[in-house]
Amino acid sequence: MGDYMERLVVNRRSCRRYLDKNVSPDVISRILKAMESAPTGGNSCGVEHTVIDDKERTREIWNAAYPVMEANAKRHNYTSSFSDFYYTKMKQSEKTVRKGDLLFCGAPHLFIAHERCVGKWAEDSKVNCNLATAYFELLANAFGLGTVIMSYPADALKELAPAAREMLNIPTDHYMNLIVGFGYPEICYARGVQKERGGKIHRWTQRKSR
Ligand SMILES: Cc1cc2nc3c(=O)[nH]c(=O)nc-3n(C[C@H](O)[C@H](O)[C@H](O)COP(=O)(O)O)c2cc1C
């Protein structure tokens, strides 16, 4: 199991090029079934999973959001996380890595982990959702799917395109900060992304031996 998990984590990478094809419903069902075992704070099991598993529906949501986002950008109105600089950069990347779609990265399907987020355990609710997002991402990759975790479209739907957000049917008091785009990948990469994380590990045994 360790070998498989290691390969999965080391070789996963964000996918921003997808085949224009629905993923087999059986594969999605298997992933969602496994997701039931993801941990939640206090075993509250309150995380809800919204899956846009029909590419035509994803396109309808895109159609309700993308032109609104563009119209806002023309007035220099962006999500709170964006600015002229970042939007211009993202727009440029549509011609290279994002296949003409800075919003959903061309993904035919969307997965959103969300949970009512109020009161004493609100922070746990956020963590539950973010953990579910990570579990979904890894499971989908294990089943040979491409994925991309995205915060930008979550912000865009919440802040700029409320009509598109409504189409998700997610209550407004639910935490919804990440959307996972997924589908069959157009490109199968031979290896993962090389990342240098040196110096960010703090191990007790190493500290003692210095
Ligand atoms: C919290 C979070 C938010 C992200 N938001 C976006 C996004 O809005 N759009 C996007 O294309 N990628 C987004 N990404 C993907 C990252 O850009 C990507 O994981 C990172 O560049 C590392 O590349 P890799 O996933 O191929 O290893 C996000 C990733 C995380 C963890």
Side-chain angles (χ1 to χ4, degrees):
M1 195 79 96
D3 286 345
Y4 284 120
M5 198 63 194
E6 181 187 46
R7 269 163 55 195
L8 181 62
V9 170
V10 170
N11 291 313
R12 66 143 294 287
R13 58 192 294 167
S14 295
C15 175
R16 298 188 181 87
R17 285 186 174 271
Y18 296 90
L19 298 181
D20 184 21
K21 189 177 164 189
N22 276 331
V23 169
S24 150
D26 293 346
V27 170
I28 297 177
S29 298
R30 271 187 80 180
I31 294 170
L32 294 176
K33 183 74 193 149
M35 289 288 299
E36 289 175 8
S37 302
T40 53
N43 205 21
S44 54
C45 299
V47 184
E48 297 179 34
H49 302 148
T50 289
V51 188
I52 312 299
D53 54 5
D54 178 1
K55 66 188 177 70
E56 302 309 327
R57 184 63 181 165
T58 305
R59 180 44 67 170
E60 283 170 14
I61 298 166
W62 188 93
N63 283 337
Y66 195 94
V68 179
M69 175 191 78
E70 283 275 83
N72 272 283
K74 287 207 172 69
R75 298 194 303 274
H76 303 278
N77 188 32
Y78 306 106
T79 59
S80 50
S81 53
F82 266 45
S83 60
D84 273 333
F85 175 80
Y86 287 117
Y87 196 83
T88 306
K89 282 261 168 222
M90 284 282 262
K91 205 67 201 150
Q92 285 165 353
S93 74
E94 278 193 331
K95 296 195 186 75
T96 51
V97 293
R98 278 169 223 280
K99 216 180 166 186
D101 178 13
L102 71 84
L103 187 65
F104 293 156
C105 299
H109 302 303
L110 307 175
F111 168 87
I112 305 163
H114 53 98
E115 179 173 339
R116 188 157 177 269
C117 185
V118 287
K120 209 171 166 163
W121 303 106
E123 288 308 310
D124 271 19
S125 299
K126 295 178 190 174
V127 176
N128 292 341
C129 292
N130 295 337
L131 272 176
T133 299
Y135 272 64
F136 178 88
E137 207 242 3
L138 282 177
L139 276 161
N141 277 274
F143 279 96
L145 304 180
T147 56
V148 58
I149 297 175
M150 304 175 289
S151 55
Y152 175 69
D155 291 344
L157 266 57
K158 284 186 291 186
E159 297 174 31
L160 304 176
R165 191 199 186 286
E166 256 181 53
M167 292 169 78
L168 298 172
N169 217 13
I170 295 176
T172 48
D173 62 350
H174 279 209
Y175 175 82
M176 179 197 110
N177 254 34
L178 294 172
I179 296 178
V180 186
F182 70 100
Y184 291 119
E186 191 181 271
I187 300 165
C188 288
Y189 293 100
R191 62 188 74 81
V193 183
Q194 311 299 304
K195 295 181 188 180
E196 180 52 68
R197 302 261 194 217
K200 297 203 179 98
I201 297 169
H202 309 283
R203 287 178 64 172
W204 180 252
T205 47
Q206 281 179 357
R207 216 164 52 160
K208 275 204 298 194
S209 62
R210 260 197 221 128

